[in-house]
Amino acid sequence: MIEGRGYDSNIYIFEDVVVDTGTGENMGYIKDSIKKAGINPDDLSLIVNTHNHYDHTGGNRCFNLEVAMHSDDVESFERGDDEATVASMFGGSIEGMKVDKKLEEGDKIHDFTVLHTPGHTKGGICLYNGETLISGDTVFAGGGFGRTDIGGDVNDMQNSLEKLSKLDVKYLLPGHGPCTSQGSRHIKMAFDMAKMF
């Protein structure tokens, strides 16, 4: 895990995969953190974006890697829609960025399975390996969940959190904030909170 700085999302690396890349504003810190972890950047081959928001995708252009994203978030991303990707909120742009692989529910990335979890965006995903959930902005430690007012949908979020609440999650690795080793408890808290909307 590379903890997000400023507006950057957290970044996770497993095997040859980078999950999310932040805004691109703190790339020196990110690349130094990768090297300090003993990872050779040349061994990385794929970026998986948990959704198309700029604070998770802006750094994509700083890596020369293939990019994978859920198909429901690709169109607005590739057309450079700075509103849908909230790049304009961060004073940035995603113009000219491309996606090489469109992900769908059930796709495998090494030991992790792609779970389509719309709510924060239409194409939000989590990655789950039976113990660890990399959750993007679907759910956070402490029972929080991603905003639904910037391209999302509260009913979708409720359904996604219900789906996640049925999993046995030990380690919850969210898009922002701290991780927790009591993942299922925090997901259930978020689901209970979402049901009140």
Side-chain angles (χ1 to χ4, degrees):
M1 174 196 180
I2 301 169
E3 189 175 352
R5 269 198 184 162
Y7 293 117
D8 286 351
S9 65
N10 294 335
I11 295 167
Y12 300 98
I13 298 175
F14 62 90
E15 298 188 47
D16 61 339
V17 177
V18 181
V19 180
D20 291 333
T21 60
T23 60
E25 302 292 317
N26 298 294
M27 204 43 68
Y29 155 72
I30 290 164
K31 293 203 168 170
D32 285 348
S33 298
I34 291 170
K35 287 178 189 156
K36 280 182 188 163
I39 297 165
N40 181 345
D42 294 338
D43 292 338
L44 301 172
S45 67
L46 180 68
I47 293 166
V48 174
N49 291 129
T50 57
H51 59 291
N52 66 9
H53 284 172
Y54 181 77
D55 54 326
H56 294 252
T57 62
N60 287 10
R61 61 169 52 97
C62 302
F63 293 91
N64 186 25
L65 302 175
E66 286 200 331
V67 174
M69 182 184 294
H70 192 274
S71 59
D72 287 351
D73 270 5
V74 169
E75 194 268 327
S76 57
F77 183 77
E78 289 196 327
R79 78 167 184 264
D81 187 334
D82 289 338
E83 296 303 315
T85 61
V86 300
S88 53
M89 282 175 59
F90 297 98
S93 175
I94 53 137
E95 191 175 348
M97 293 176 133
K98 296 289 172 218
V99 174
D100 303 289
K101 295 181 179 180
K102 294 180 181 180
L103 298 173
E104 302 294 344
E105 171 83 14
D107 286 351
K108 296 288 281 188
I109 299 166
H110 298 304
D111 291 340
F112 284 85
T113 301
V114 173
L115 304 177
H116 184 209
T117 53
H120 184 59
T121 67
K122 289 183 179 72
I125 63 164
C126 297
L127 301 175
Y128 180 60
N129 70 355
E131 180 178 64
T132 298
L133 185 76
I134 301 174
S135 63
D137 285 1
T138 303
V139 61
F140 306 117
F145 55 88
R147 292 172 59 174
T148 59
D149 62 335
I150 43 176
D153 181 272
V154 70
N155 292 318
D156 286 346
M157 181 60 82
Q158 289 166 350
N159 292 334
S160 292
L161 292 171
E162 181 176 20
K163 174 181 179 177
L164 296 180
S165 73
K166 295 174 180 170
L167 303 176
D168 184 11
V169 177
K170 183 170 184 185
Y171 301 108
L172 175 64
L173 312 182
H176 300 275
C179 301
T180 177
S181 60
Q182 298 178 354
S184 286
R185 187 168 76 84
H186 289 253
I187 292 165
K188 284 183 175 66
M189 287 164 52
F191 179 43
D192 288 341
M193 188 76 69
K195 285 189 287 192
M196 293 168 26
F197 284 85

